[in-house]
């Protein structure tokens, strides 16, 4: 295991380096001159454009820009936002907890709905609750986040007046308000993933329930819930955990849309605005941190396998 | 499963009991975008100006009728065509309690003129130097006579900064700006909120009725509307014309409109690179035919709910420089076809139009496409993201371009840079000796009647050449809580906080 984890950790640095080079090159392919966007209504003045390009290092060759950026990065400096002049590290410190809170809540909601629904569907195979779970799952998968978000805002906030329609309050500023502002977006975000988790839990559980050890457990006279939860579920969860880790990545990218709909000042909203404003340092910083998180989550999934399935401990 | 559902329901049921913060003292304003840096010298965005309206007073302001009125100044006089004397109020302090005087005015104007990256320089570049006459009087000595100068001082170029604070902060001033407006800067969380608190030492404190103002960017219009309807925000700028009915149906809300300063139109590429070789760019008769095929009234009705005003010129009907005789021609298909015949170009005539890919512009372009099709134009739409469309415009990567301009108080700001030879935003490289001369003359004439005369001659030439087909003047649409009183709809669309109050329940 140690060797396995060690090699996974060693892969992190080249992966991140590759991501940073890719991001740097790809944004050069983006149409639209950042200097012109920065210049706004002064874009016709060549002097203004030249001055902006000089200040932002845009008039240097790409490799020089990259080395300059990398050099700063090694000192923990991701540059500053071209649009509002705030340091990118500060923006990330501000936004990351927001998106993490949202993603975590969404994931909890997804697991709370998806896994039990999957178990029920598998145990009740081809019976009423299986059909219900499947129908709900299919609806969850095929409902666009954007539409669901707006509908919920209209119903819960505008008509019923229960929750604020958008915005965000920090968890440590006022946890109740914080929950009030994030529960709806977290549900929207978690909804689609709950459906995926449900489908996978169901099929993994069906496979597990057909295994000999389950039959043995039943033959021993164990109670049904003990058979299902202790024996079948434990084994069925392995593919579900992998999927969960991958879906956490989906959550981060899904947050782009959800944060836009609910005006939540998180990572997703920051990157969308940064791309439209050609605020390259922000785009680079956010993508790099997201890539890092993604790699980290996959590593975490590897560790979790071992925890859940002791057979892997020797491997 | 049942327990789980029960638990979720319980959580949801407790949430509405969460107390909302005290609202009566706080005004919440929704902005359509997140503003850029809050430094009057370096700022570029329109929404930024809305925040500045709470933060920074200006030498002059404009009223509902576009008249220039004093704010930090008490008045001005031209001692000759190149010398402007400005008299200042004696009772103004900055939010850091520094005194606002002639030295601060001189410092601020010089900062606008010299700070690296200043976006104000081109607005006031006619200023040669600034002299302090006495603590309450400054003299602006110009390089050339400039009619638009005073109007420029009604916007960011006229915002006065405290010299000590501005000098100490340099280019980071915008991270914690200090000005002389009714509200002082408290905090900003990018893309979430900008919070301002009442400045007790404001010179006109009697007109301020809120303790705190929070500006919240909400780019999605349905979300903005939902927030307005649920009462989470008190006021929203730039409501879409198509959302007006929904606001009007709600008894808790109301709509206030004012004619905006800008325009929307189609810019043609007359001489900027290879794309200008298209028949429509080379032949004014074809552009006249194109215009004759467009029904502006129907366009405005379909796309903008009938709220925008059809026009054939760059300044709004609210401006004293709107020339009443230049009317938008009605649709005339027979004339369009005759003009095409006269031009001798076989139909269908292929034209490509760059269109920023927002829903309203796309729809507008599609309506135009079907209208001009009947006259014999095969209009292809090139939907393109906004930043990319700007680059294409500057580099000549367009045949025609559906684009607007937010507008300036003085007509010069809507005309010169777009139509003068070599103008900064003259993307089609239009060049006409008559138009150039009239624009130059109008820029230097301080007599309004004489200026109107120059502009009339200019419009007569432009109506023949049609480098830009002006389509409509937008309208500022503000949606606000019916409890708010004292809102003043000024054509620049900014939200002035003086006089704005919440009615007692």
């Amino acid at each position: 295991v140690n060797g396995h984890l060690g090699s996974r950790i060693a892969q992190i640095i080249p992966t991140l380096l590759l991501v940073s080079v890719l991001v740097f090159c790809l944004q050069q392919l983006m149409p639209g001159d950042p200097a012109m966007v920065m210049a706004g209504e002064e874009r016709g003045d060549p002097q203004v454009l030249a001055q902006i390009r000089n200040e932002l290092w845009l008039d240097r060759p790409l490799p020089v820009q990259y080395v300059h950026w990398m050099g700063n990065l090694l000192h923990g400096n991701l540059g500053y936002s071209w649009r509002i002049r705030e340091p990118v590290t500060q923006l990330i410190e501000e936004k990351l907890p927001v998106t993490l809170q949202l993603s975590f809540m969404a994931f909890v909601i997804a697991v709370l709905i998806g896994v039990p629904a999957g178990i029920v569907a598998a145990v009740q195979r081809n019976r009423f609750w299986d059909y219900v779970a499947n129908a709900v799952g299919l609806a969850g998968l095929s409902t666009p986040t954007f539409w669901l978000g707006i509908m919920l805002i209209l119903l819960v906030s505008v008509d019923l007046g229960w929750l604020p329609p958008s915005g965000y309050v920090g968890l440590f500023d006022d946890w109740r308000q914080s929950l009030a502002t994030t529960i709806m977006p977290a549900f929207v975000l978690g909804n689609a993933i709950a459906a995926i988790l449900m489908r996978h839990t169901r099929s993994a559980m069906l496979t597990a329930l057909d295994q000999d050890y389950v039959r043995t457990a039943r033959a021993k006279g164990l109670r049904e819930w003990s058979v299902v939860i202790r024996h079948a579920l434990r084994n069925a969860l392995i593919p579900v955990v992998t999927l969960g880790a991958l879906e956490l990545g989906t959550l981060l990218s899904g947050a782009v849309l959800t944060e836009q709909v609910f005006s939540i000042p998180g990572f997703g909203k920051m990157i969308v605005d940064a791309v439209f404003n050609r605020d390259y340092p922000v785009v680079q910083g956010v993508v790099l941190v997201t890539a890092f998180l993604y790699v980290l989550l996959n590593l975490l999934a590897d560790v979790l396998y071992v925890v859940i399935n002791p057979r892997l401990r020797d491997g | 499963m049942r327990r789980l559902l029960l638990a979720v329901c319980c959580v949801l049921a407790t949430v509405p009991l969460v107390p909302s913060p005290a609202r009566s003292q706080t005004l919440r304003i929704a902005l359509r975008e997140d503003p850029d840096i809050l430094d009057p010298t370096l700022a570029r965005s329109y929404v930024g100006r809305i925040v500045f309206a709470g933060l920074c007073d200006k030498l002059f302001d404009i009223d509902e009728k576009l008249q220039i009125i004093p704010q930090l100044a008490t008045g001005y006089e031209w001692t000759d065509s190149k010398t402007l004397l400005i008299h200042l109020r004696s009772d103004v302090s900055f939010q850091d309690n520094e005194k606002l005087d002639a030295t601060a005015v001189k410092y601020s104007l010089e900062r606008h003129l010299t700070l690296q990256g200043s976006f104000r320089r081109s607005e006031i570049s006619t200023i040669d130097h600034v002299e302090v006459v006495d603590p309450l009087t400054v003299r602006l000595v110009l390089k050339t006579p400039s009619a638009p100068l005073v109007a420029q001082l009604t916007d960011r170029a006229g915002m006065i900064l405290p010299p000590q604070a501005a000098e100490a902060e340099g280019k980071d001033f915008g991270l914690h700006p200090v000005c002389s407006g009714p509200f002082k800067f408290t905090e900003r969380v990018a893309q979430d909120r900008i919070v301002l608190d009442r400045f007790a030492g404001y010179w006109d404190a009697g007109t301020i009725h809120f303790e705190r103002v929070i500006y919240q960017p909400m780019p999605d219009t349905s979300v903005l509307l939902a927030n307005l309807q649920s009462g989470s925000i008190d006021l929203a700028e730039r409501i879409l014309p198509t959302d007006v009915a929904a606001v009007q149906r709600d008894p808790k809300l109301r709509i206030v409109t004012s004619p905006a300063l800008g325009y929307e139109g189609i810019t043609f590429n007359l001489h900027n690179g290879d794309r200008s070789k298209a028949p429509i760019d080379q032949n004014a008769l074809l552009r006249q035919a194109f215009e004759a095929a467009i029904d502006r009234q129907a366009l405005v009705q379909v796309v903008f709910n009938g709220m925008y005003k059809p026009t054939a010129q760059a300044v709004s009907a609210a401006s004293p420089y709107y020339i009443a005789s230049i009317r938008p021609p009605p649709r005339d298909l027979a004339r369009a076809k005759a003009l095409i015949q006269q031009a001798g170009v076989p139909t269908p005539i292929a034209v490509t139009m760059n269109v920023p890919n927002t829903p309203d512009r796309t729809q507008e372009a599609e309506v135009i496409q079907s209208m001009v099709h009947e006259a014999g134009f095969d209009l292809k739409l090139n939907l393109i993201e906004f930043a990319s469309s700007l680059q294409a415009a500057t580099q000549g990567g367009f045949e025609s371009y559906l684009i607007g301009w937010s507008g300036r108080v003085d007509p010069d700001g809507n005309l010169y840079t777009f139509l003068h030879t070599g103008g900064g935003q003259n993307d089609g490289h239009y060049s006409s000796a008559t138009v150039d001369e009239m624009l130059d003359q109008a820029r230097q004439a301080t007599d309004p009647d004489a200026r109107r005369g120059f502009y009339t001659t200019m419009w007569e030439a432009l109506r023949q050449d049609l480098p830009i087909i002006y389509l409509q003047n937008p309208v500022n649409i503000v949606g606000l809580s019916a409890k708010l009183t004292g809102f003043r709809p000024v054509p620049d669309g900014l939200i002035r906080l003086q006089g704005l109050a919440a009615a007692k329940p």
Side-chain angles (χ1 to χ4, degrees):
Chain A
V1 173
N2 288 342
H4 177 61
L5 282 186
S7 75
R8 292 305 297 260
I9 292 170
Q11 281 166 17
I12 292 181
I13 290 173
T15 308
L16 290 181
L17 262 178
L18 193 69
V19 168
S20 72
V21 174
L22 266 180
V23 176
F24 220 90
C25 297
L26 279 180
Q27 67 190 9
Q28 299 300 317
L29 295 178
M30 271 207 283
D33 177 355
M36 220 169 263
V37 180
M38 295 293 132
E41 295 184 337
E42 304 295 316
R43 72 193 158 86
D45 188 339
Q47 252 187 320
V48 171
L49 291 177
Q51 187 190 316
I52 294 174
R53 288 202 181 99
N54 182 272
E55 197 179 328
L56 304 182
W57 281 63
L58 287 168
D59 51 1
R60 273 72 144 200
L62 193 59
V64 177
Q65 290 181 41
Y66 179 76
V67 170
H68 172 68
W69 180 69
M70 253 326 205
N72 282 336
L73 181 65
L74 292 178
H75 290 93
N77 175 7
L78 283 168
Y80 67 92
S81 154
W82 292 347
R83 188 173 152 80
I84 59 169
R85 293 197 82 86
E86 273 187 39
V88 174
T89 37
Q90 186 188 326
L91 284 172
I92 289 175
E93 274 167 34
E94 244 172 57
K95 312 289 177 196
L96 187 59
V98 180
T99 299
L100 285 184
Q101 183 192 343
L102 184 64
S103 302
F104 179 75
M105 285 174 62
F107 194 70
V108 169
I109 290 175
V111 170
L112 283 183
I113 298 175
V115 174
I119 298 171
V120 170
V123 173
Q124 300 275 312
R125 184 180 189 179
N126 290 337
R127 276 183 275 169
F128 178 72
W129 286 110
D130 185 20
Y131 295 132
V132 170
N134 271 306
V136 172
L138 199 64
L141 266 181
S142 47
T143 311
T145 312
F146 206 79
W147 179 84
L148 183 65
I150 303 254
M151 287 300 131
L152 274 181
I153 291 176
L154 289 178
L155 176 73
V156 180
S157 304
V158 177
D159 282 350
L160 301 172
W162 286 0
L163 294 172
S166 63
Y168 174 76
V169 176
L171 197 56
F172 300 105
D173 296 334
D174 179 345
W175 67 270
R176 289 195 297 182
Q177 275 293 327
S178 184
L179 282 184
T181 48
T182 44
I183 188 92
M184 208 161 38
F187 174 76
V188 169
L189 194 53
N191 172 55
I193 294 173
I196 298 173
L197 282 182
M198 191 281 280
R199 304 286 301 201
H200 281 262
T201 310
R202 179 180 180 273
S203 71
M205 278 297 285
L206 285 178
T207 316
L209 286 172
D210 268 353
Q211 300 292 317
D212 288 342
Y213 61 84
V214 170
R215 203 169 306 134
T216 312
R218 284 200 175 117
K220 276 200 296 186
L222 287 181
R223 287 192 194 150
E224 183 62 16
W225 68 263
S226 170
V227 173
V228 170
I229 304 293
R230 276 212 172 138
H231 295 260
L233 183 64
R234 192 150 187 167
N235 284 287
L237 271 186
I238 291 174
V240 175
V241 168
T242 322
L243 187 82
L246 288 175
E247 290 301 328
L248 263 173
T250 315
L251 276 178
L252 288 179
S253 54
V256 172
L257 262 184
T258 315
E259 287 175 5
Q260 202 71 9
V261 175
F262 289 93
S263 293
I264 290 179
F267 246 42
K269 202 165 149 49
M270 177 156 72
I271 199 165
V272 170
D273 285 7
V275 167
F276 281 125
N277 290 313
R278 302 294 188 271
D279 202 339
Y280 287 178
V282 177
V283 177
Q284 286 156 3
V286 174
V287 172
L288 202 67
V289 172
T290 311
F292 180 69
L293 283 176
Y294 202 87
V295 172
L296 209 65
L297 286 172
N298 276 296
L299 190 70
L300 198 69
D302 285 352
V303 176
L304 271 181
Y305 291 154
V306 180
V307 175
I308 292 176
N309 193 334
R311 277 179 298 176
L312 287 175
R313 278 183 201 154
D314 306 320
Chain B
M1 194 65 191
R2 200 179 296 160
R3 270 191 207 153
L4 177 72
L5 275 174
L6 204 65
V8 171
C9 287
C10 287
V11 170
L12 281 177
T14 56
V15 174
L17 301 176
V18 172
S20 57
R23 292 293 310 281
S24 56
Q25 301 292 303
T26 302
L27 178 69
R28 285 166 195 267
I29 298 175
L31 306 174
R32 287 281 298 277
E33 296 120 41
D34 191 28
D36 61 341
I37 187 161
L38 295 176
D39 179 329
T41 308
L42 302 173
R44 302 170 304 271
S45 69
Y46 173 75
V47 282
R49 292 166 63 197
I50 297 181
V51 178
F52 283 132
L55 198 59
C56 297
D57 272 7
K58 310 160 289 189
L59 288 170
F60 302 97
D61 198 5
I62 53 168
D63 65 9
E64 290 90 324
K65 296 195 170 65
L66 277 180
Q67 298 296 316
I68 292 173
I69 52 171
Q71 195 170 44
L72 294 173
T74 55
Y76 67 93
E77 57 197 288
W78 289 98
T79 50
D80 63 60
S81 68
K82 292 202 285 185
T83 313
L84 179 67
L85 215 54
I86 300 176
H87 305 285
L88 303 171
R89 301 190 62 89
S90 59
D91 52 353
V92 183
S93 298
F94 291 108
Q95 292 145 0
D96 62 355
N97 296 323
E98 215 177 311
K99 191 87 182 143
L100 189 149
D101 58 10
T103 314
V105 174
K106 178 178 158 72
Y107 171 83
S108 301
L109 290 173
E110 284 173 353
R111 184 178 193 262
H112 293 326
L113 283 168
T114 57
L115 188 73
Q116 197 205 8
S118 165
F119 286 98
R120 305 287 84 77
R121 188 180 303 135
S122 59
E123 294 170 7
I124 54 171
S125 60
T126 49
I127 298 178
D128 183 70
H129 63 276
V130 184
E131 297 166 0
V132 172
V133 180
D134 62 52
L136 294 179
T137 315
V138 279
R139 183 186 293 122
L140 275 52
V141 181
L142 313 188
K143 295 171 194 154
T144 51
S146 170
L149 181 67
V150 180
Q152 295 289 13
L153 300 177
T154 66
D155 195 358
R156 289 162 296 195
M159 291 175 188
I160 306 304
L161 314 178
Q164 282 176 23
E167 202 54 35
E169 295 273 3
K171 292 190 95 170
D172 286 338
F173 178 77
L175 297 179
H176 6 75
V178 179
C179 268
S180 64
F183 289 84
K184 56 181 196 283
F185 180 81
T186 299
E187 67 159 342
R188 172 177 196 172
V189 178
Q191 293 155 314
D192 186 36
R193 61 183 185 271
I194 294 171
V195 181
L196 309 183
D197 282 308
R198 198 165 76 86
F199 167 43
Y202 184 52
W203 64 272
D204 197 10
T207 59
I208 302 303
H209 307 294
F210 288 96
E211 287 301 315
R212 173 170 272 206
V213 191
I214 302 177
Y215 298 91
Q216 294 174 288
M218 290 183 190
D220 187 272
T221 49
S222 17
V223 173
L224 182 134
L225 192 62
N227 273 278
L228 194 59
Q229 288 170 326
S230 70
S232 309
I233 53 171
D234 305 304
L235 193 152
E237 54 115 9
R238 281 181 291 164
I239 298 275
L240 289 187
T242 40
D243 286 339
V244 166
V247 178
Q248 281 170 334
R249 272 198 302 272
D250 191 328
K252 298 191 300 296
L253 302 175
R254 66 189 175 103
I255 286 281
V256 179
T257 63
S258 57
L261 297 173
Y263 65 81
E264 287 169 7
I266 304 168
T267 301
F268 290 94
N269 182 359
L270 307 193
H271 297 290
N272 188 358
D274 285 346
R275 297 292 295 279
S276 68
K277 300 288 182 285
I280 198 159
D281 293 329
Q282 292 304 309
N283 196 326
L285 290 173
L286 291 183
R287 292 194 293 278
Q288 291 172 16
F290 196 89
E291 183 188 43
I294 296 175
D295 186 341
R296 289 175 169 89
Q297 196 65 52
L299 186 67
V300 161
Q301 207 62 44
V302 171
V303 187
F304 303 106
N305 222 6
M307 296 194 74
Y308 289 5
K309 300 283 172 265
T311 191
Q313 48 189 307
V315 293
S316 93
S319 164
Y321 296 98
Y322 180 83
I323 310 299
S325 59
I326 307 291
R327 278 193 220 82
R331 186 181 204 219
D332 188 342
L333 262 188
R335 182 166 170 266
K337 286 177 178 164
L339 282 164
I340 290 175
Q341 204 160 25
Q342 195 186 336
V345 179
T347 55
I349 302 162
V351 183
T352 305
M353 184 156 75
N354 283 7
V355 182
N357 59 358
T358 56
D360 52 343
R361 282 222 200 283
T362 308
Q363 198 191 356
E364 186 181 358
E366 283 163 354
V367 175
I368 294 172
Q369 186 180 40
S370 71
M371 284 173 174
V372 298
H373 180 76
E374 290 176 48
F377 290 98
D378 177 18
L379 182 63
K380 288 193 180 56
L381 306 182
N382 178 27
L383 296 178
I384 178 169
E385 183 259 345
F386 185 66
S388 311
S389 79
L390 287 184
Q391 187 178 26
T394 310
Q395 295 174 345
F398 70 108
E399 287 175 19
S400 63
Y401 182 24
L402 184 66
I403 186 70
W405 174 243
S406 66
R408 294 291 178 266
V409 174
D410 192 88
D412 184 80
N414 285 12
L415 297 166
Y416 198 94
T417 177
F418 301 94
L419 296 165
H420 198 280
T421 304
Q425 301 197 62
N426 185 348
D427 295 320
H429 292 192
Y430 172 65
S431 178
S432 150
T434 315
V435 170
D436 285 356
E437 195 196 330
M438 291 305 118
L439 283 169
D440 287 329
Q441 299 263 25
R443 197 171 237 203
Q444 300 189 4
T446 38
D447 173 43
D449 288 330
R451 281 187 93 189
R452 258 192 298 274
F454 295 131
Y455 283 136
T456 309
T457 312
M458 177 200 72
W459 281 117
E460 279 154 7
L462 283 173
R463 289 295 303 152
Q464 292 308 307
D465 296 344
L466 284 183
I468 299 174
I469 296 178
Y470 298 95
L471 294 170
Q472 66 264 340
N473 295 126
V475 170
N476 300 315
I477 308 171
V478 171
L480 65 164
S481 156
K483 285 185 198 148
L484 281 183
T485 59
F487 178 76
R488 284 188 296 137
V490 179
D492 60 14
L494 307 188
I495 295 150
R496 287 162 176 78
L497 302 170
Q498 291 87 345
L500 202 57
K504 297 275 181 291

